[in-house]
Amino acid sequence: TEERTGAQLRFGKQLSPFVGVRTMLRYAETDITGLPWFAWFTYPPEYWRQAEGSTTISNLWGISRNTLDSPRDPGSGSRHDLEIEVAGLGGDNEFWKLQHDSAWYWSLDKDRKWILSYQTREGIGDDYGSSDYIPIQDRYYAGGTTTVRGYENRDIGPKSAGFFGWGEKVAVGGDMRVLQNLEIKYKVTDQVRVYGFVDGGGVWADMSDFDLG
């Protein structure tokens, strides 16, 4: 069980009707509980290292551009977001993360019932200073309804077992993620939608491991 306590202080400003910027100061105290006393044999070290708890204090900066015709059910326009987070303003962890998210929507017929969309998301990160890894709760994962459908939650990407390979392999996340989603939507009624989609993505333990194959 992951227990997280914290707070966020956010400021934002609209530079134009479509473009906005934001900054956020984040404090998080994370602890993993419920691990058995023999966890260091059967769980990856990324888990039992967090059993001692850790504190992250970070600053995030972002810019976004949004021209969607609807925030909940878009039929045209695009949305783009770029953000960088730097942790190390105190606390136990020092790392940085850079993330990009873009989506485009096109109406394929004059009645705007057929909508084609494409989304691409990329993220990279790394530790620095006195830290030698990114905490497991701040790494990238993939699999599940919001990333790559057809896979279980966090099923894509690096997995590790315990000491000498004992125990079941579990997801430990990575420092790099790439996600691609192509989707077509048909508006049956004002309330009912039918979707067809192709999803793809990957998570890599380190940026040097990146391989589209």
Side-chain angles (χ1 to χ4, degrees), residues 22 79-85 96-104 118-125 139-142 146-147 174-181 200-204 207 210 212:
R22 66 188 182 277
R79 170 183 50 79
H80 309 280
D81 190 82
L82 181 67
E83 71 175 28
I84 183 169
E85 180 180 11
W96 61 267
K97 294 170 67 177
L98 177 64
Q99 303 181 95
H100 164 256
D101 183 353
S102 285
W104 295 263
Y118 171 70
Q119 183 177 17
T120 177
R121 285 171 283 176
E122 300 84 31
I124 58 174
R139 297 181 183 183
Y140 293 107
Y141 298 89
T146 61
T147 54
D175 291 354
M176 183 174 184
R177 181 177 73 175
V178 175
L179 300 172
Q180 308 287 308
N181 310 98
V203 177
W204 295 266
M207 287 181 283
F210 177 69
L212 287 178

Side-chain angles (χ1 to χ4, degrees), residues 63-96:
I63 183 171
S64 61
R65 184 177 188 272
N66 191 327
T67 60
L68 298 180
D69 61 344
S70 169
R72 299 188 62 183
D73 190 24
S76 63
S78 62
R79 170 183 50 79
H80 309 280
D81 190 82
L82 181 67
E83 71 175 28
I84 183 169
E85 180 180 11
V86 178
L89 310 176
D92 303 311
N93 303 308
E94 295 177 322
F95 63 87
W96 61 267

Side-chain angles (χ1 to χ4, degrees), residues 193-208:
R193 305 287 186 267
V194 176
Y195 297 88
F197 60 86
V198 177
D199 293 343
V203 177
W204 295 266
D206 189 83
M207 287 181 283
S208 61

Side-chain angles (χ1 to χ4, degrees), residues 5-155:
T5 305
Q8 297 177 353
L9 183 63
R10 304 177 60 142
F11 297 94
K13 180 175 177 55
Q14 285 295 122
L15 302 182
S16 75
F18 304 118
V19 179
V21 293
R22 66 188 182 277
T23 184
M24 179 179 73
L25 183 64
R26 178 173 75 97
Y27 171 86
E29 206 169 277
T30 307
D31 191 13
I32 292 181
T33 64
L35 293 173
W37 63 270
F38 50 85
W40 67 284
F41 274 111
T42 57
Y43 282 82
E46 290 88 349
Y47 278 79
W48 46 262
R49 283 181 70 172
Q50 289 300 106
E52 301 175 358
S54 69
T55 299
T56 301
I57 303 176
S58 64
N59 186 209
L60 181 148
W61 292 83
I63 183 171
S64 61
R65 184 177 188 272
N66 191 327
T67 60
L68 298 180
D69 61 344
S70 169
R72 299 188 62 183
D73 190 24
S76 63
S78 62
R79 170 183 50 79
H80 309 280
D81 190 82
L82 181 67
E83 71 175 28
I84 183 169
E85 180 180 11
V86 178
L89 310 176
D92 303 311
N93 303 308
E94 295 177 322
F95 63 87
W96 61 267
K97 294 170 67 177
L98 177 64
Q99 303 181 95
H100 164 256
D101 183 353
S102 285
W104 295 263
Y105 295 83
W106 303 274
S107 298
L108 302 182
D109 63 326
K110 64 179 181 179
D111 295 328
R112 298 170 64 87
K113 287 184 174 293
W114 288 96
I115 307 298
L116 180 67
S117 65
Y118 171 70
Q119 183 177 17
T120 177
R121 285 171 283 176
E122 300 84 31
I124 58 174
D126 202 1
D127 56 83
Y128 72 94
S130 60
S131 293
D132 59 357
Y133 79 119
I134 297 179
I136 194 166
Q137 69 273 7
D138 290 302
R139 297 181 183 183
Y140 293 107
Y141 298 89
T145 57
T146 61
T147 54
V148 182
R149 289 161 284 195
Y151 288 83
E152 295 294 330
N153 188 40
R154 296 188 174 188
D155 196 35

